[in-house]
Amino acid sequence: MKLKTTQEGVGLIEVMVALLLLAVAVLGFSAMQMTAIKATDESLMRTRSLTIMRGGAEAIRANPTGSNAFRTALNGDSSSVTIDGNAITKDSCVQNTNAAPAAAASCTINQLATRDGLLIKSYGAANDINMGMIPNGCPGTSDRRQCFVASWGNTTVQLDDTAPNACANADGTYKNGAECFIMEAY
């Protein structure tokens, strides 16, 4: 007598195992794609931050006497600062002409620097970037170097060992997971 072997349903099990393997592979590719998108977003924020900070560095180079007023405006909480009895905003001290905007003749050096600081802060806010300058310069550098900090997400514009969301430690080393950029400017 001959035994009859049946293989009914084995083909279905093979197909289900193949689909399971395919699903795991697709999930892996999806996770890799999400990581690539996150890295692209981080790169975009760093590029925007660097562009804004370069503009700030150029403003300080153009008006080194007003660097303290620039820092005060950039680090302030308000969109206007009162100097010499005048409320200065990011739109102050500019005289629009037909050719191009030019500095108004009636503004002082500190008023111009304040306007520049508020303008840089405004550019950052428009790009979801918090801008600031460290009051005593970058750690480990000479006094004439300015220290710009740009942060986004939950990271704050701070160099602090104890603050959990600070950009970096007090010595200037980045914290793990911080979403920020630090730049020295002369």
Side-chain angles (χ1 to χ4, degrees):
M1 179 165 163
K2 203 173 182 182
L3 265 140
K4 184 177 174 188
T5 59
T6 61
Q7 296 211 355
E8 293 175 13
V10 173
L12 181 60
I13 292 174
E14 289 174 351
V15 169
M16 290 180 68
V17 168
L19 285 174
L20 177 67
L21 291 174
L22 181 63
V24 169
V26 168
L27 286 174
F29 286 126
S30 297
M32 188 173 63
Q33 185 68 24
M34 293 304 293
T35 302
I37 289 171
K38 184 176 179 183
T40 301
D41 288 345
E42 178 77 12
S43 175
L44 178 64
M45 294 305 282
R46 286 181 178 273
T47 301
R48 286 179 179 170
S49 298
L50 183 59
T51 301
I52 294 168
M53 288 189 291
R54 280 184 183 167
E58 290 301 321
I60 289 175
R61 277 191 204 108
N63 184 2
T65 307
S67 64
N68 288 333
F70 181 92
R71 184 183 316 107
T72 300
L74 189 63
N75 290 342
D77 293 332
S78 177
S79 60
S80 78
V81 176
T82 302
I83 296 181
D84 302 328
N86 296 317
I88 304 298
T89 68
K90 67 180 181 68
D91 298 318
S92 298
C93 298
V94 176
Q95 171 184 340
N96 288 321
T97 64
N98 290 337
S106 62
C107 289
T108 66
I109 295 291
N110 285 335
Q111 289 172 334
L112 287 169
T114 298
R115 177 216 174 255
D116 291 341
L118 292 172
L119 190 59
I120 293 297
K121 185 165 96 173
S122 162
Y123 288 154
N127 287 285
D128 297 323
I129 299 169
N130 301 312
M131 301 297 301
M133 290 178 71
I134 304 305
N136 299 323
C138 287
T141 62
S142 68
D143 290 337
R144 42 178 289 231
R145 293 185 189 179
Q146 304 295 325
C147 193
F148 278 99
V149 179
S151 70
W152 51 93
N154 293 329
T155 305
T156 59
V157 178
Q158 290 179 299
L159 303 183
D160 189 338
D161 292 331
T162 59
N165 292 338
C167 176
N169 292 319
D171 64 359
T173 56
Y174 285 97
K175 290 193 172 191
N176 287 337
E179 296 178 307
C180 61
F181 196 71
I182 302 171
M183 182 182 92
E184 291 179 15
Y186 293 86

